[in-house]
Amino acid sequence: MPLFKVAIVGAGPAGYFAAQALQNQQNEDRTFAIDLIERLPTPWGLVRSGVAPDHPKIKTVSKVFEKIAADPNFRLFANVEIGSEISVAQLKEKYDAVVIATGSHLGKSLGIPGEELPGSLSAADFVPWYNSHPDYVDVKVPLDCDTAVVIGAGNVAMDVARMLALEPSELDPTDTADHAIDAFKASAVRDVYISARRGPEHAAFTSPELRELPKLEHTNVVINKEDIDAAIVRAGAEPEKEVKSNLDAMLLIAESQKSEHERTMRFLFQHTPKQILGTDRVEGVVYSTPNGDVTIKCGLVITAIGYQAAGIDGVPYENGKVVNTDGRVNENLYVVGWAKRGPSGVIGTNKSDAAAVVELMISDLKTPKAAGDISQLLTHQVVVDQSAWQKINEAEVAAGEPKGKPRVKSVKRDELLKLGLS
Ligand code: NAP
């Protein structure tokens, strides 16, 4: 039975769903040996370092990932960097197909004056900071101010604003990084603005996230009812289903806002950021609005306006994505997930996306090349394989148990390696 070897670069949702799609396509004509390669010592990508820790249900998809990994023809090679340590060209020589699944983790910038000031940062740095990503432990998040501004009207902006506006003890039973919980507990921030440059009818939030907001037990959530009434008029008699659902959810918030709590999350619409003020650090944001310029004084600004992919040598990039046609890049190189289509869609979107790319790949496959695999290319021995990852995983879960947390993540690469390779 022909055995095709496929290397997948990037062990996030897109990578795992590509592996699953390959596994689902096995029959008497073809089988697949899958090597999943990851730069970090740990897999799971944004399920580990992107999903908000107060949304543990979203992380249960990791059970699916571990089922995919249990297949005897699946191997994990974590702590291995493609692009520097091993080239994409080398992988392409060895494997019948190579799939790039590296996501997009660089935050887009606004391109306005003051964006480089201390206290102005991207969600692309803030989110992995509170999620224990080893590369982001040292991100400076000044929380010594009373007001923070989050720019953007998508679900990432919502996660960020919620994390800033939550009563921090609500994070105790979560896997939020200890350094972040400590910082949030010491935080002076009490007012969090979340600003959209367009009206509520154009917001990129999804309604389940909006519907959760009134359930926050210690935070006032404030939406101006006039903003929603005007948006309902603009949206017309037959708005799209998602728009209607969003507007309904926002109207509900606007009609039942609380004011008794010390912490407040406030939505601003039709506020286009123009300038970030400050000399040595952020002091405010100037917006242009339909009523003229408005300044919000604040000491922290977090932009959550989308992501772009980081380049890997040997892979063509354009406009923050890998250059591809329906997932085909060139020869035996393919791309899936955010690196393919840009930063949109929820985790599950990657499933159908990967399945479609795998179908194309299969139509390209001829006979297996049997040219070896990554084990002949490795330049060091400190590889975290599936059994080493399982040791890390079990150790983190065990460390969380006495604290009532799902896990305590290690924030240092060497600690992770020690756990896995002991
Ligand atoms: P997004 O949904 O594309 O939202 C980006 C937001 O940034 C939009 O509101 C956009 O406004 C705004 N924006 C872009 N450029 C701007 C600028 N120059 N000035 C001001 N605002 C600007 O992106 P995201 O929030 O990063 O989320 C990425 C994907 O992950 C989405 O599909 C999202 O649903 C998903 N996600 C899901 C969850 C969840 O399910 N819980 C959590 C997090 C993320 P315009 O529309 O005006 O351009």
Side-chain angles (χ1 to χ4, degrees), residues 22-254:
L22 288 163
Q23 290 171 349
N24 289 345
Q25 290 281 358
Q26 299 189 108
N27 55 30
E28 48 297 346
D29 296 330
R30 56 176 177 257
T31 52
F32 294 104
I34 300 162
D35 288 344
L36 182 62
I37 307 163
E38 166 62 44
R39 186 177 70 86
L40 290 175
T42 53
W44 298 0
L46 63 72
V47 168
R48 184 174 166 94
S49 55
V51 171
D54 64 331
H55 278 167
K57 264 199 205 146
I58 299 180
K59 299 188 190 209
T60 54
V61 70
S62 58
K63 291 206 178 90
V64 177
F65 300 163
E66 290 309 290
K67 208 168 155 215
I68 294 163
D71 188 285
N73 268 340
F74 174 100
R75 297 188 298 179
L76 176 69
F77 290 85
N79 201 39
V80 176
E81 182 151 9
I82 301 302
S84 53
E85 190 177 333
I86 296 169
S87 72
V88 172
Q90 284 175 304
L91 285 184
K92 283 168 71 180
E93 272 170 28
K94 296 260 175 231
Y95 287 85
D96 294 294
V98 176
V99 182
I100 302 294
T102 44
S104 36
H105 71 271
L106 304 175
K108 283 190 184 150
S109 53
L110 288 164
I112 59 171
E115 208 174 357
E116 68 299 333
L117 283 167
S120 157
L121 60 150
S122 168
D125 296 325
F126 179 61
V127 171
W129 170 77
Y130 63 60
N131 272 326
S132 308
H133 189 303
D135 296 351
Y136 294 84
V137 184
D138 297 325
V139 169
K140 298 272 170 290
V141 184
L143 296 167
D144 55 347
C145 48
D146 54 15
T147 304
V149 163
V150 181
I151 296 174
N155 284 336
V156 172
M158 173 96 83
D159 282 348
V160 164
R162 216 180 48 250
M163 287 297 286
L164 287 167
L166 276 173
E167 156 58 48
S169 59
E170 291 181 57
L171 297 173
D172 285 337
T174 72
D175 62 1
T176 310
D178 283 344
H179 62 247
I181 295 186
D182 292 346
F184 289 133
K185 285 187 175 167
S187 167
V189 173
R190 294 295 177 269
D191 282 309
V192 180
Y193 288 87
I194 176 165
S195 71
R197 63 179 169 177
R198 297 195 283 162
E201 71 278 26
H202 297 294
F205 312 124
T206 49
S207 58
E209 277 60 36
L210 284 164
R211 284 180 202 286
E212 259 190 18
L213 291 177
K215 296 179 200 152
L216 291 177
E217 282 181 32
H218 304 283
T219 308
N220 309 313
V221 182
V222 176
I223 294 183
N224 190 342
K225 187 167 178 302
E226 284 97 75
D227 286 343
I228 309 305
D229 289 340
I232 290 171
V233 172
R234 287 193 299 267
E238 287 179 30
E240 281 174 32
K241 197 170 139 242
E242 289 78 19
V243 173
K244 178 167 184 343
S245 186
N246 265 6
L247 291 175
D248 287 350
M250 288 191 252
L251 188 61
L252 202 71
I253 296 171

Side-chain angles (χ1 to χ4, degrees), residues 17 91 213 220 310 333 345 347 355 365 381:
F17 285 130
L91 285 184
L213 291 177
N220 309 313
L333 186 64
I347 289 169
L365 290 173
Q381 297 304 311

